[in-house]
Amino acid sequence: MLRNSFIATLTFAVIHVLPALGENTTMTNNLKVLVSSNDFPESGLEVLRKHFTVLQSRFIHFGEEGITENKEELLNLIPGCSGLVWVSHHPITKELLDKAGPSLKVVATASAGYNHCNLDELKARGIKLANTPNVLSPAVAEIAVGLILGAARRFTENLDQVRRGEWEIGFNKVLGQDVRGSTVGIVGLGGIGQAVVKRLAGFEVGKFVYTGHREKPEGKALGAEFVSLDQLLAQSDFIVLAVPLTSETKHMINSTTLAKMKKNAILVNVGRGDLVDQDALYDALKNHQIYAAGLDVTTPEPLPKDHKLLTLPNIFILPHIGSATVRTRSDMGVLAANNVVNALSGKPLITPVLE
């Protein structure tokens, strides 16, 4: 009798518990997450597929394709989606958010910057926003170092010599600037700025200075001195821009700030193109008001092949490849995916911008 009672109780528990578990799994899988581009890393997709029904655009979400075929597909796919993974340099439009409707709870941008994410609209609709900082800092810092070397050692001119097969041979030909013994100024000592200082430490830099809203304990640990922006501009041989684009930082490098730099100064931008007034930069470089510039970011992107900056010999430009390594892009994809998982399972965002 006791044994029969035990079996009956166990059977009752299995019958009632298993459907409940199944229902929870089905509820999770029924949540839809839209990935905006066809080139999102597989590592990130694997994370999302474990939890949700994943919809993904068939098109790349960059350049002309991103504002034609991709745009129309996203408008068709987003209704009813609970999460959106934004893999693009194009802005999130009000039209897209209207199409998403009230079901959209979270946007995860696969980027450190989020100026393209329409913060006002997301905040007004109560939609959470996450980004992918820190995981890309090492890779972007490596590009910053590359731009420093490329601009200082006149890579644009020297590569042109190689392509033409006409080398300027001589003891005093195409001489560059030394990093050794220089003063390097970091505008924005966040994750990227700190990673730049760490990587340049082996170059025998004479002094590191930085500026920002406040002095940071990390600066002291790295041996970097906190100064005002004006002091940094006046002292630095190399100036590295590593701040996000905001209303405060837009065109922070302009004719006025360029005039405060040393004649041998080299400007490096790994933040966003609009940190720099490019017309003012063109004039400063053309007139040899500053020595050179190295840019991984421009306005617009891609920079037109006939843009006047590309006519200058003292500028070294890369096509926004700061985070473009296999490992970094995979890490960004996984972090973006896990932010969506957390948001839709009631957990805090890992890297929140809006909560």
Side-chain angles (χ1 to χ4, degrees):
M1 177 71 79
L2 184 60
R3 179 174 178 276
N4 291 340
S5 176
F6 173 76
I7 292 172
T9 302
L10 182 61
T11 302
F12 178 87
V14 169
I15 289 171
H16 285 78
V17 171
L18 287 181
L21 290 173
E23 286 167 9
N24 288 338
T25 304
T26 302
M27 283 174 60
T28 305
N29 289 340
N30 280 343
L31 293 179
K32 294 190 295 183
V33 172
L34 174 60
V35 177
S36 76
S37 189
N38 68 7
D39 57 353
F40 188 63
E42 185 63 30
S43 55
L45 290 171
E46 286 177 5
V47 172
L48 292 172
R49 288 173 183 142
K50 288 177 184 176
H51 300 272
F52 313 113
T53 298
V54 178
L55 308 180
Q56 184 176 15
S57 174
R58 295 169 298 164
F59 305 101
I60 195 168
H61 199 186
F62 293 87
E64 187 62 29
E65 189 173 312
I67 54 177
T68 53
E69 292 97 334
N70 186 287
K71 177 185 175 183
E72 289 305 312
E73 180 152 90
L74 294 181
L75 289 172
N76 291 329
L77 290 175
I78 202 167
C81 286
S82 299
L84 171 62
V85 179
W86 199 247
V87 195
S88 180
H89 58 202
H90 294 302
I92 295 175
T93 63
K94 184 177 182 296
E95 180 186 15
L96 185 69
L97 295 175
D98 286 342
K99 279 281 189 179
S103 63
L104 187 63
K105 305 301 181 187
V106 61
V107 172
T109 179
S111 62
Y114 46 83
N115 56 291
H116 58 311
C117 290
N118 205 339
L119 265 65
D120 291 340
E121 278 295 328
L122 293 179
K123 188 182 293 185
R125 298 165 189 255
I127 298 170
K128 296 179 179 181
L129 173 65
N131 64 340
T132 58
N134 305 324
V135 293
L136 50 71
S137 295
V140 176
E142 290 168 5
I143 286 295
V145 173
L147 288 168
I148 286 171
L149 297 175
R153 300 301 297 272
R154 300 167 69 168
F155 276 17
T156 299
E157 294 168 85
N158 286 307
L159 287 170
D160 182 57
Q161 287 187 47
V162 174
R163 292 187 182 107
R164 288 187 289 109
E166 300 174 7
W167 295 19
E168 293 186 39
I169 299 171
F171 200 63
N172 282 320
K173 296 293 187 180
V174 203
L175 302 183
Q177 299 287 334
D178 282 293
V179 178
R180 179 185 55 174
S182 67
T183 295
V184 176
I186 309 291
V187 182
L189 197 70
I192 293 171
Q194 292 170 39
V196 171
V197 173
K198 290 174 184 175
R199 279 152 182 76
L200 286 176
F203 283 78
E204 301 176 25
V205 169
K207 184 180 181 181
F208 288 105
V209 296
Y210 73 98
T211 193
H213 288 129
R214 63 188 183 282
E215 189 170 2
K216 293 188 172 184
E218 294 90 347
K220 189 169 291 184
L222 291 168
E225 179 187 348
F226 180 68
V227 297
S228 68
L229 177 60
D230 282 352
Q231 288 174 309
L232 183 145
L233 296 174
Q235 294 178 24
S236 299
D237 302 297
F238 297 91
I239 296 163
V240 180
L241 305 180
V243 290
L245 178 62
T246 66
S247 57
E248 179 186 3
T249 61
K250 184 175 182 179
H251 286 186
M252 67 184 304
I253 301 301
N254 49 53
S255 57
T256 301
T257 49
L258 284 161
K260 296 177 181 179
M261 297 180 189
K262 298 163 79 170
K263 193 173 179 65
N264 70 306
I266 294 172
L267 176 70
V268 168
N269 187 8
V270 290
R272 284 290 184 268
D274 271 338
L275 297 176
V276 177
D277 178 341
Q278 290 180 171
D279 289 332
L281 177 62
Y282 173 83
D283 291 339
L285 291 170
K286 185 176 176 60
N287 298 326
H288 301 288
Q289 183 181 336
I290 65 172
Y291 186 80
L295 310 178
D296 186 43
V297 287
T298 60
T299 301
E301 292 180 357
L303 200 65
K305 63 182 180 180
D306 59 351
H307 195 280
K308 61 184 178 180
L309 282 176
L310 297 174
T311 67
L312 297 170
N314 54 344
I315 191 167
F316 184 52
I317 301 177
L318 296 174
H320 202 156
I321 59 169
S323 64
T325 72
V326 173
R327 176 179 175 177
T328 300
R329 291 286 167 86
S330 177
D331 289 347
M332 291 168 70
V334 170
L335 177 55
N338 279 319
N339 270 312
V340 172
V341 172
N342 277 24
L344 297 182
S345 59
K347 298 175 183 175
L349 294 174
I350 303 166
T351 48
V353 177
L354 294 175
E355 279 197 300

mmCIF file of all heavy atoms in Angstrom, residues 293-332:
data_model
loop_
_atom_site.group_PDB
_atom_site.id
_atom_site.type_symbol
_atom_site.label_atom_id
_atom_site.label_comp_id
_atom_site.label_asym_id
_atom_site.label_seq_id
_atom_site.Cartn_x
_atom_site.Cartn_y
_atom_site.Cartn_z
ATOM 1 N N ALA A 293 48.311 63.928 -38.967
ATOM 2 C CA ALA A 293 47.142 63.343 -38.309
ATOM 3 C C ALA A 293 47.002 61.885 -38.727
ATOM 4 O O ALA A 293 47.393 61.500 -39.838
ATOM 5 C CB ALA A 293 45.875 64.119 -38.662
ATOM 6 N N GLY A 294 46.442 61.080 -37.836
ATOM 7 C CA GLY A 294 46.107 59.688 -38.116
ATOM 8 C C GLY A 294 44.668 59.442 -37.713
ATOM 9 O O GLY A 294 44.298 59.678 -36.566
ATOM 10 N N LEU A 295 43.834 58.987 -38.643
ATOM 11 C CA LEU A 295 42.402 58.827 -38.386
ATOM 12 C C LEU A 295 41.950 57.402 -38.686
ATOM 13 O O LEU A 295 42.241 56.877 -39.763
ATOM 14 C CB LEU A 295 41.585 59.784 -39.260
ATOM 15 C CG LEU A 295 41.972 61.269 -39.288
ATOM 16 C CD1 LEU A 295 41.067 62.019 -40.261
ATOM 17 C CD2 LEU A 295 41.903 61.880 -37.897
ATOM 18 N N ASP A 296 41.223 56.813 -37.749
ATOM 19 C CA ASP A 296 40.526 55.555 -38.027
ATOM 20 C C ASP A 296 39.039 55.811 -38.228
ATOM 21 O O ASP A 296 38.303 54.906 -38.617
ATOM 22 C CB ASP A 296 40.736 54.548 -36.889
ATOM 23 C CG ASP A 296 40.157 53.175 -37.211
ATOM 24 O OD1 ASP A 296 40.345 52.716 -38.358
ATOM 25 O OD2 ASP A 296 39.509 52.572 -36.336
ATOM 26 N N VAL A 297 38.607 57.030 -37.944
ATOM 27 C CA VAL A 297 37.195 57.396 -38.054
ATOM 28 C C VAL A 297 37.100 58.733 -38.784
ATOM 29 O O VAL A 297 37.927 59.616 -38.599
ATOM 30 C CB VAL A 297 36.526 57.497 -36.665
ATOM 31 C CG1 VAL A 297 36.315 56.120 -36.073
ATOM 32 C CG2 VAL A 297 37.362 58.350 -35.711
ATOM 33 N N THR A 298 36.089 58.862 -39.634
ATOM 34 C CA THR A 298 35.901 60.075 -40.416
ATOM 35 C C THR A 298 34.412 60.374 -40.517
ATOM 36 O O THR A 298 33.567 59.582 -40.108
ATOM 37 C CB THR A 298 36.465 59.917 -41.844
ATOM 38 O OG1 THR A 298 35.778 58.835 -42.498
ATOM 39 C CG2 THR A 298 37.962 59.646 -41.820
ATOM 40 N N THR A 299 34.110 61.548 -41.093
ATOM 41 C CA THR A 299 32.736 61.905 -41.441
ATOM 42 C C THR A 299 32.735 62.367 -42.891
ATOM 43 O O THR A 299 33.429 63.322 -43.238
ATOM 44 C CB THR A 299 32.219 63.037 -40.541
ATOM 45 O OG1 THR A 299 32.274 62.627 -39.180
ATOM 46 C CG2 THR A 299 30.784 63.383 -40.893
ATOM 47 N N PRO A 300 32.007 61.691 -43.803
ATOM 48 C CA PRO A 300 31.224 60.472 -43.561
ATOM 49 C C PRO A 300 32.117 59.239 -43.632
ATOM 50 O O PRO A 300 33.319 59.353 -43.838
ATOM 51 C CB PRO A 300 30.238 60.484 -44.720
ATOM 52 C CG PRO A 300 31.026 61.116 -45.850
ATOM 53 C CD PRO A 300 31.888 62.171 -45.191
ATOM 54 N N GLU A 301 31.493 58.101 -43.451
ATOM 55 C CA GLU A 301 32.162 56.812 -43.653
ATOM 56 C C GLU A 301 31.311 55.986 -44.623
ATOM 57 O O GLU A 301 30.130 55.802 -44.372
ATOM 58 C CB GLU A 301 32.322 56.073 -42.324
ATOM 59 C CG GLU A 301 33.305 56.747 -41.381
ATOM 60 C CD GLU A 301 33.471 56.010 -40.061
ATOM 61 O OE1 GLU A 301 32.773 54.982 -39.851
ATOM 62 O OE2 GLU A 301 34.284 56.443 -39.247
ATOM 63 N N PRO A 302 31.898 55.484 -45.694
ATOM 64 C CA PRO A 302 33.290 55.679 -46.108
ATOM 65 C C PRO A 302 33.550 57.103 -46.583
ATOM 66 O O PRO A 302 32.638 57.790 -47.065
ATOM 67 C CB PRO A 302 33.474 54.673 -47.232
ATOM 68 C CG PRO A 302 32.100 54.443 -47.770
ATOM 69 C CD PRO A 302 31.163 54.594 -46.616
ATOM 70 N N LEU A 303 34.801 57.530 -46.446
ATOM 71 C CA LEU A 303 35.208 58.839 -46.941
ATOM 72 C C LEU A 303 35.269 58.782 -48.466
ATOM 73 O O LEU A 303 35.908 57.882 -49.022
ATOM 74 C CB LEU A 303 36.581 59.185 -46.359
ATOM 75 C CG LEU A 303 36.995 60.658 -46.356
ATOM 76 C CD1 LEU A 303 36.082 61.464 -45.440
ATOM 77 C CD2 LEU A 303 38.445 60.790 -45.909
ATOM 78 N N PRO A 304 34.619 59.703 -49.180
ATOM 79 C CA PRO A 304 34.673 59.677 -50.647
ATOM 80 C C PRO A 304 36.103 59.712 -51.163
ATOM 81 O O PRO A 304 36.964 60.390 -50.588
ATOM 82 C CB PRO A 304 33.905 60.947 -51.041
ATOM 83 C CG PRO A 304 33.014 61.240 -49.880
ATOM 84 C CD PRO A 304 33.779 60.797 -48.660
ATOM 85 N N LYS A 305 36.363 58.993 -52.229
ATOM 86 C CA LYS A 305 37.741 58.869 -52.727
ATOM 87 C C LYS A 305 38.305 60.190 -53.228
ATOM 88 O O LYS A 305 39.524 60.342 -53.338
ATOM 89 C CB LYS A 305 37.812 57.813 -53.828
ATOM 90 C CG LYS A 305 36.994 58.128 -55.065
ATOM 91 C CD LYS A 305 37.102 56.997 -56.080
ATOM 92 C CE LYS A 305 36.276 57.287 -57.334
ATOM 93 N NZ LYS A 305 36.386 56.193 -58.314
ATOM 94 N N ASP A 306 37.423 61.162 -53.504
ATOM 95 C CA ASP A 306 37.892 62.477 -53.936
ATOM 96 C C ASP A 306 37.862 63.507 -52.806
ATOM 97 O O ASP A 306 37.950 64.716 -53.052
ATOM 98 C CB ASP A 306 37.072 62.978 -55.128
ATOM 99 C CG ASP A 306 35.577 63.096 -54.798
ATOM 100 O OD1 ASP A 306 35.162 62.624 -53.709
ATOM 101 O OD2 ASP A 306 34.831 63.655 -55.626
ATOM 102 N N HIS A 307 37.745 63.042 -51.536
ATOM 103 C CA HIS A 307 37.699 63.964 -50.409
ATOM 104 C C HIS A 307 39.027 64.706 -50.291
ATOM 105 O O HIS A 307 40.103 64.135 -50.505
ATOM 106 C CB HIS A 307 37.399 63.204 -49.116
ATOM 107 C CG HIS A 307 36.998 64.091 -47.985
ATOM 108 N ND1 HIS A 307 37.901 64.803 -47.229
ATOM 109 C CD2 HIS A 307 35.775 64.385 -47.469
ATOM 110 C CE1 HIS A 307 37.260 65.496 -46.301
ATOM 111 N NE2 HIS A 307 35.967 65.262 -46.431
ATOM 112 N N LYS A 308 38.962 65.964 -49.927
ATOM 113 C CA LYS A 308 40.173 66.794 -49.899
ATOM 114 C C LYS A 308 41.208 66.322 -48.880
ATOM 115 O O LYS A 308 42.416 66.523 -49.077
ATOM 116 C CB LYS A 308 39.817 68.260 -49.643
ATOM 117 C CG LYS A 308 39.123 68.544 -48.325
ATOM 118 C CD LYS A 308 38.726 70.018 -48.238
ATOM 119 C CE LYS A 308 37.983 70.342 -46.970
ATOM 120 N NZ LYS A 308 37.612 71.788 -46.907
ATOM 121 N N LEU A 309 40.769 65.648 -47.803
ATOM 122 C CA LEU A 309 41.750 65.129 -46.843
ATOM 123 C C LEU A 309 42.699 64.135 -47.497
ATOM 124 O O LEU A 309 43.869 64.025 -47.120
ATOM 125 C CB LEU A 309 41.040 64.456 -45.659
ATOM 126 C CG LEU A 309 40.439 65.362 -44.579
ATOM 127 C CD1 LEU A 309 39.697 64.520 -43.549
ATOM 128 C CD2 LEU A 309 41.502 66.225 -43.895
ATOM 129 N N LEU A 310 42.190 63.396 -48.480
ATOM 130 C CA LEU A 310 42.993 62.368 -49.138
ATOM 131 C C LEU A 310 44.025 62.946 -50.108
ATOM 132 O O LEU A 310 44.849 62.205 -50.646
ATOM 133 C CB LEU A 310 42.080 61.383 -49.870
ATOM 134 C CG LEU A 310 41.130 60.588 -48.954
ATOM 135 C CD1 LEU A 310 40.171 59.749 -49.790
ATOM 136 C CD2 LEU A 310 41.906 59.713 -47.993
ATOM 137 N N THR A 311 43.982 64.257 -50.311
ATOM 138 C CA THR A 311 44.990 64.897 -51.158
ATOM 139 C C THR A 311 46.231 65.290 -50.362
ATOM 140 O O THR A 311 47.235 65.703 -50.954
ATOM 141 C CB THR A 311 44.416 66.162 -51.826
ATOM 142 O OG1 THR A 311 44.143 67.154 -50.816
ATOM 143 C CG2 THR A 311 43.141 65.846 -52.581
ATOM 144 N N LEU A 312 46.147 65.169 -49.037
ATOM 145 C CA LEU A 312 47.251 65.621 -48.184
ATOM 146 C C LEU A 312 48.261 64.503 -47.957
ATOM 147 O O LEU A 312 47.880 63.356 -47.713
ATOM 148 C CB LEU A 312 46.709 66.087 -46.823
ATOM 149 C CG LEU A 312 45.758 67.291 -46.852
ATOM 150 C CD1 LEU A 312 45.120 67.491 -45.484
ATOM 151 C CD2 LEU A 312 46.502 68.555 -47.290
ATOM 152 N N PRO A 313 49.546 64.821 -47.987
ATOM 153 C CA PRO A 313 50.559 63.800 -47.715
ATOM 154 C C PRO A 313 50.775 63.527 -46.238
ATOM 155 O O PRO A 313 51.305 62.484 -45.873
ATOM 156 C CB PRO A 313 51.822 64.413 -48.336
ATOM 157 C CG PRO A 313 51.622 65.886 -48.217
ATOM 158 C CD PRO A 313 50.148 66.111 -48.397
ATOM 159 N N ASN A 314 50.344 64.468 -45.383
ATOM 160 C CA ASN A 314 50.633 64.349 -43.943
ATOM 161 C C ASN A 314 49.432 63.871 -43.133
ATOM 162 O O ASN A 314 49.203 64.288 -42.006
ATOM 163 C CB ASN A 314 51.177 65.660 -43.379
ATOM 164 C CG ASN A 314 50.273 66.861 -43.656
ATOM 165 O OD1 ASN A 314 49.387 66.801 -44.520
ATOM 166 N ND2 ASN A 314 50.503 67.961 -42.942
ATOM 167 N N ILE A 315 48.661 62.971 -43.729
ATOM 168 C CA ILE A 315 47.555 62.336 -42.999
ATOM 169 C C ILE A 315 47.532 60.852 -43.357
ATOM 170 O O ILE A 315 47.774 60.471 -44.508
ATOM 171 C CB ILE A 315 46.200 63.012 -43.321
ATOM 172 C CG1 ILE A 315 45.113 62.540 -42.358
ATOM 173 C CG2 ILE A 315 45.795 62.777 -44.780
ATOM 174 C CD1 ILE A 315 43.851 63.387 -42.402
ATOM 175 N N PHE A 316 47.275 60.029 -42.344
ATOM 176 C CA PHE A 316 47.248 58.569 -42.517
ATOM 177 C C PHE A 316 45.865 58.102 -42.087
ATOM 178 O O PHE A 316 45.488 58.245 -40.916
ATOM 179 C CB PHE A 316 48.349 57.933 -41.661
ATOM 180 C CG PHE A 316 48.483 56.448 -41.823
ATOM 181 C CD1 PHE A 316 48.604 55.872 -43.078
ATOM 182 C CD2 PHE A 316 48.521 55.616 -40.710
ATOM 183 C CE1 PHE A 316 48.744 54.497 -43.222
ATOM 184 C CE2 PHE A 316 48.659 54.243 -40.843
ATOM 185 C CZ PHE A 316 48.772 53.685 -42.107
ATOM 186 N N ILE A 317 45.075 57.583 -43.029
ATOM 187 C CA ILE A 317 43.671 57.265 -42.762
ATOM 188 C C ILE A 317 43.411 55.778 -42.942
ATOM 189 O O ILE A 317 43.821 55.180 -43.937
ATOM 190 C CB ILE A 317 42.740 58.079 -43.688
ATOM 191 C CG1 ILE A 317 42.960 59.583 -43.485
ATOM 192 C CG2 ILE A 317 41.270 57.724 -43.416
ATOM 193 C CD1 ILE A 317 42.126 60.452 -44.403
ATOM 194 N N LEU A 318 42.702 55.198 -41.966
ATOM 195 C CA LEU A 318 42.258 53.807 -42.034
ATOM 196 C C LEU A 318 40.728 53.763 -42.058
ATOM 197 O O LEU A 318 40.072 54.677 -41.551
ATOM 198 C CB LEU A 318 42.791 53.020 -40.834
ATOM 199 C CG LEU A 318 44.312 52.867 -40.744
ATOM 200 C CD1 LEU A 318 44.710 52.200 -39.433
ATOM 201 C CD2 LEU A 318 44.849 52.076 -41.925
ATOM 202 N N PRO A 319 40.139 52.703 -42.605
ATOM 203 C CA PRO A 319 38.684 52.638 -42.797
ATOM 204 C C PRO A 319 37.905 52.096 -41.599
ATOM 205 O O PRO A 319 37.137 51.139 -41.712
ATOM 206 C CB PRO A 319 38.537 51.735 -44.022
ATOM 207 C CG PRO A 319 39.680 50.783 -43.892
ATOM 208 C CD PRO A 319 40.816 51.580 -43.306
ATOM 209 N N HIS A 320 38.097 52.708 -40.439
ATOM 210 C CA HIS A 320 37.365 52.354 -39.214
ATOM 211 C C HIS A 320 37.508 50.860 -38.897
ATOM 212 O O HIS A 320 36.537 50.112 -38.831
ATOM 213 C CB HIS A 320 35.887 52.730 -39.324
ATOM 214 C CG HIS A 320 35.226 52.893 -37.981
ATOM 215 N ND1 HIS A 320 34.102 53.660 -37.798
ATOM 216 C CD2 HIS A 320 35.535 52.393 -36.743
ATOM 217 C CE1 HIS A 320 33.737 53.619 -36.507
ATOM 218 N NE2 HIS A 320 34.598 52.841 -35.866
ATOM 219 N N ILE A 321 38.748 50.461 -38.639
ATOM 220 C CA ILE A 321 39.038 49.039 -38.378
ATOM 221 C C ILE A 321 39.486 48.794 -36.933
ATOM 222 O O ILE A 321 40.048 47.757 -36.634
ATOM 223 C CB ILE A 321 40.106 48.507 -39.350
ATOM 224 C CG1 ILE A 321 41.419 49.299 -39.222
ATOM 225 C CG2 ILE A 321 39.598 48.540 -40.782
ATOM 226 C CD1 ILE A 321 42.597 48.660 -39.952
ATOM 227 N N GLY A 322 39.204 49.766 -36.051
ATOM 228 C CA GLY A 322 39.701 49.666 -34.674
ATOM 229 C C GLY A 322 39.430 48.346 -33.988
ATOM 230 O O GLY A 322 40.313 47.761 -33.366
ATOM 231 N N SER A 323 38.204 47.853 -34.095
ATOM 232 C CA SER A 323 37.844 46.606 -33.407
ATOM 233 C C SER A 323 37.860 45.400 -34.333
ATOM 234 O O SER A 323 37.389 44.321 -33.959
ATOM 235 C CB SER A 323 36.451 46.734 -32.780
ATOM 236 O OG SER A 323 35.462 46.896 -33.783
ATOM 237 N N ALA A 324 38.413 45.572 -35.525
ATOM 238 C CA ALA A 324 38.291 44.535 -36.561
ATOM 239 C C ALA A 324 39.346 43.440 -36.427
ATOM 240 O O ALA A 324 40.242 43.316 -37.252
ATOM 241 C CB ALA A 324 38.355 45.165 -37.943
ATOM 242 N N THR A 325 39.211 42.634 -35.373
ATOM 243 C CA THR A 325 39.970 41.397 -35.262
ATOM 244 C C THR A 325 38.979 40.270 -35.019
ATOM 245 O O THR A 325 37.865 40.502 -34.520
ATOM 246 C CB THR A 325 41.002 41.425 -34.111
ATOM 247 O OG1 THR A 325 40.315 41.363 -32.848
ATOM 248 C CG2 THR A 325 41.873 42.672 -34.170
ATOM 249 N N VAL A 326 39.363 39.061 -35.351
ATOM 250 C CA VAL A 326 38.468 37.903 -35.204
ATOM 251 C C VAL A 326 38.022 37.768 -33.748
ATOM 252 O O VAL A 326 36.826 37.618 -33.451
ATOM 253 C CB VAL A 326 39.173 36.615 -35.673
ATOM 254 C CG1 VAL A 326 38.316 35.391 -35.370
ATOM 255 C CG2 VAL A 326 39.492 36.684 -37.167
ATOM 256 N N ARG A 327 38.976 37.822 -32.842
ATOM 257 C CA ARG A 327 38.659 37.632 -31.424
ATOM 258 C C ARG A 327 37.764 38.745 -30.891
ATOM 259 O O ARG A 327 36.775 38.483 -30.195
ATOM 260 C CB ARG A 327 39.954 37.569 -30.613
ATOM 261 C CG ARG A 327 39.727 37.477 -29.113
ATOM 262 C CD ARG A 327 41.037 37.382 -28.358
ATOM 263 N NE ARG A 327 40.831 37.405 -26.919
ATOM 264 C CZ ARG A 327 41.812 37.283 -26.029
ATOM 265 N NH1 ARG A 327 43.066 37.147 -26.428
ATOM 266 N NH2 ARG A 327 41.542 37.315 -24.737
ATOM 267 N N THR A 328 38.094 39.991 -31.243
ATOM 268 C CA THR A 328 37.341 41.117 -30.697
ATOM 269 C C THR A 328 35.916 41.132 -31.194
ATOM 270 O O THR A 328 34.973 41.328 -30.410
ATOM 271 C CB THR A 328 38.044 42.438 -31.049
ATOM 272 O OG1 THR A 328 39.360 42.431 -30.488
ATOM 273 C CG2 THR A 328 37.279 43.629 -30.499
ATOM 274 N N ARG A 329 35.713 40.924 -32.494
ATOM 275 C CA ARG A 329 34.342 40.946 -33.010
ATOM 276 C C ARG A 329 33.510 39.796 -32.431
ATOM 277 O O ARG A 329 32.309 39.956 -32.173
ATOM 278 C CB ARG A 329 34.364 40.905 -34.542
ATOM 279 C CG ARG A 329 34.912 42.201 -35.160
ATOM 280 C CD ARG A 329 33.905 43.329 -35.065
ATOM 281 N NE ARG A 329 34.482 44.621 -35.367
ATOM 282 C CZ ARG A 329 34.605 45.142 -36.592
ATOM 283 N NH1 ARG A 329 34.233 44.435 -37.643
ATOM 284 N NH2 ARG A 329 35.101 46.351 -36.746
ATOM 285 N N SER A 330 34.137 38.648 -32.196
ATOM 286 C CA SER A 330 33.436 37.542 -31.557
ATOM 287 C C SER A 330 33.039 37.914 -30.130
ATOM 288 O O SER A 330 31.908 37.677 -29.701
ATOM 289 C CB SER A 330 34.307 36.288 -31.552
ATOM 290 O OG SER A 330 33.657 35.233 -30.871
ATOM 291 N N ASP A 331 33.971 38.522 -29.399
ATOM 292 C CA ASP A 331 33.684 38.943 -28.018
ATOM 293 C C ASP A 331 32.569 39.978 -27.984
ATOM 294 O O ASP A 331 31.709 39.950 -27.090
ATOM 295 C CB ASP A 331 34.945 39.526 -27.373
ATOM 296 C CG ASP A 331 36.005 38.474 -27.062
ATOM 297 O OD1 ASP A 331 35.674 37.266 -27.120
ATOM 298 O OD2 ASP A 331 37.159 38.858 -26.773
ATOM 299 N N MET A 332 32.567 40.888 -28.948
ATOM 300 C CA MET A 332 31.510 41.897 -29.013
ATOM 301 C C MET A 332 30.156 41.242 -29.270
ATOM 302 O O MET A 332 29.135 41.624 -28.672
ATOM 303 C CB MET A 332 31.827 42.913 -30.116
ATOM 304 C CG MET A 332 33.018 43.801 -29.810
ATOM 305 S SD MET A 332 33.576 44.740 -31.258
ATOM 306 C CE MET A 332 32.224 45.916 -31.451
#
